[in-house]
Amino acid sequence: MTTELDEAAERIAVWAGGLAARAGARRVLAVEGRSGSGKTTLAERVAGRLAAPLIHMDDLYAGWDGLHQGVTELRDRVLRPLAAGRPGRWRRWDWAAGAYAEEHLVPDADWLVVEGVGAGARVLRPYTSGLVWVDSPTAVRKRRALDRDGPTYAPHWDRWARHEDAFYAAEDVRANADLIIENAGRQRS
């Protein structure tokens, strides 16, 4: 079975081949969309096709209210250094401890894929070669997110949705996307 995301990943990888590097010699692809849209699954498939390291914004957010801090972490610790020809290093947010934990070196590669809410922020666009938006109906997104993270995420769904609403109202990421992928979760034979 082939899914919509398998087909989309192939299209994105082919399209991305023509993009120019904007973070030093690195081409950075941002995969954006609301919680549960399928951006993590899509980004994993695209990263595999591009032989790219993958950074999840979930690892950068400073907790449930840390979306903007995650964007700053990505810009200051990963993208700016890469653009200057230096290694990028990011710190993983330890959700249980409520603090940043160990540091990770961004592996050398031609590509870097970053996925998650905030990956397409305005302050990151000077460093990104392409921006993909993943769209999915709210009911489908909520079901996916709660199936994936269950009781851990359920009490935070509305809180996080408010952060998404505020971020997207200010950033208008979807309107600035190079590609929009519709993901209703259908399979094809």
Side-chain angles (χ1 to χ4, degrees):
M1 284 273 177
T2 303
T3 67
E4 289 175 309
L5 292 184
D6 291 318
E7 294 172 1
E10 188 59 34
R11 285 195 324 266
I12 292 165
V14 169
W15 163 78
L19 299 175
R22 296 182 71 194
R26 187 80 58 117
R27 291 182 282 179
V28 178
L29 181 67
V31 180
E32 262 276 7
R34 291 179 177 270
S35 182
S37 63
K39 63 194 170 298
T40 301
T41 303
L42 178 62
E44 288 169 350
R45 292 174 186 174
V46 171
R49 284 168 172 80
L50 298 175
L54 174 61
I55 294 177
H56 303 280
M57 291 298 294
D58 287 352
D59 289 331
L60 304 179
Y61 304 138
W64 290 109
D65 300 313
L67 192 160
H68 291 287
Q69 180 60 34
V71 170
T72 300
E73 287 283 312
L74 180 61
R75 183 193 62 200
D76 294 350
R77 299 180 63 81
V78 175
L79 300 179
R80 277 186 178 161
L82 290 175
R86 296 188 318 270
R89 290 180 169 83
W90 57 275
R91 298 178 299 168
R92 182 188 61 84
W93 180 260
D94 183 329
W95 289 79
Y100 283 104
E102 76 280 351
E103 187 175 82
H104 297 265
L105 179 66
V106 177
D108 285 333
D110 292 332
W111 282 95
L112 172 63
V113 175
V114 181
E115 71 81 23
V117 177
R122 188 175 295 111
V123 298
L124 304 179
R125 290 184 203 147
Y127 308 102
T128 56
S129 301
L131 172 57
V132 176
W133 175 269
V134 184
D135 234 350
S136 196
T138 302
V140 172
R141 290 188 308 98
K142 187 171 185 178
R143 178 182 42 81
R144 280 185 195 136
L146 297 182
D147 285 352
R148 177 190 66 217
D149 297 326
T152 304
Y153 188 15
H156 302 287
W157 172 265
D158 291 331
R159 177 182 183 180
W160 185 252
R162 285 190 299 275
H163 286 295
E164 288 179 337
D165 289 344
F167 177 76
Y168 291 132
E171 293 283 336
D172 204 13
V173 176
R174 188 181 194 282
N176 288 290
D178 298 303
L179 295 175
I180 296 174
I181 303 299
E182 301 292 336
N183 180 26
R186 292 182 292 268
Q187 295 184 347
R188 294 177 173 74
S189 46

